[in-house]
Amino acid sequence: DIQLTQSPSTLSASVGDRITITCRASQSISRWLAWYQQKPGKAPNLLITKASSLESGVPSRFSGSGSGTEFTLTINSLQPEDFATYYCQQYSSSFPEYIFGQGTKLEIK
Amino acid sequence: QVTLKESGPVLVKPTETLTLTCNVSGFSLSNGQLGVSWIRQAPGKAPEWLAHIFSNDGKSFSKSLKSRLTISKDTSKSQVVLIMTLMDPVDTATYYCARMFSTTGFWTHWGQGILVTVSS
């Protein structure tokens, strides 16, 4: 079965910082990876699909990259509303199940 | 405006069967391009995909939970129903329904979620 491992699990940063979150797949998923942001008590919100395609309405300070087994989510110039938990999710048709990473909690330093 | 809203019991006893309903608006379940999944999230944990129903009524399930799950839809009522049998305290979670376009594999619209607690 495929697994997604995110690192770090928790990240402390300040407003204005640039941060990077990594998602590693146990097998190649080409570019079939999405990123979500989740705030407490809310449903996940889709940010990025196909590893690097920004969803409509998502600020350009968010970006994604990677392919195969290693992917990154970068947020430039952190804003107060960006402090949340981030999840990666694979959707490769090579694997029959939709799997999420365990999450990265982005905290205010 | 696309909306999804989950409804059902917030408390079930161990061994009972859970039935959740997702009421959708702003799109039709008969639309050949749209499907709906159920996804749950235990407190403090990552989301876990449970089941999906495609526009053509095809279904797919989480391998580990397949034997306990049923998913169906009533297009005339704009509802998608999830049935989960043999509930256990470890099934305590917020249950979400979410919309997927075609077979893209990701969810663009989510319901607000319903917290279901399993306890005697």
Side-chain angles (χ1 to χ4, degrees), chain A residues 28-107:
Chain A
S28 176
I29 54 172
S30 184
R31 292 177 58 82
W32 304 115
L33 188 95
W35 289 96
Y36 297 82
Q37 176 193 68
Q38 186 176 33
K39 296 183 178 179
K42 300 294 187 181
N45 179 49
L46 182 64
L47 299 175
I48 289 171
T49 63
K50 209 169 182 183
S52 61
S53 296
L54 212 61
E55 282 292 285
S56 174
V58 176
S60 59
R61 62 181 180 272
F62 289 88
S63 63
S65 66
S67 66
T69 61
E70 187 150 336
F71 303 85
T72 59
L73 172 69
T74 298
I75 312 175
N76 288 300
S77 188
L78 275 172
Q79 298 300 300
E81 61 268 28
D82 299 338
F83 292 93
T85 300
Y86 293 85
Y87 294 98
C88 57
Q89 178 237 327
Q90 80 85 22
Y91 56 97
S92 169
S93 60
S94 299
F95 305 100
E97 301 200 16
Y98 305 117
I99 300 294
F100 289 85
Q102 84 279 13
T104 295
K105 185 175 182 180
L106 177 57
E107 298 180 329

Side-chain angles (χ1 to χ4, degrees), chain B residues 35-109:
Chain B
V36 174
S37 286
W38 283 94
I39 298 154
R40 72 179 179 179
Q41 188 171 29
K45 301 295 186 182
E48 177 187 17
W49 171 73
L50 300 177
H52 184 81
I53 189 161
F54 296 87
S55 55
N56 63 1
D57 216 36
K59 297 153 190 175
S60 62
F61 297 94
S62 163
K63 186 169 57 175
S64 62
L65 293 167
K66 184 174 183 177
S67 63
R68 297 173 54 203
L69 296 174
T70 303
I71 190 170
S72 62
K73 64 177 178 175
D74 185 329
T75 300
S76 65
K77 293 183 179 179
S78 295
Q79 292 180 336
V80 176
V81 174
L82 180 76
I83 299 171
M84 180 179 288
T85 60
L86 294 174
M87 294 293 285
D88 182 271
V90 300
D91 297 313
T92 294
T94 297
Y95 287 74
Y96 296 100
C97 57
R99 190 186 89 165
M100 181 187 297
F101 178 76
S102 187
T103 56
T104 52
F106 48 83
W107 301 278
T108 55
H109 296 82

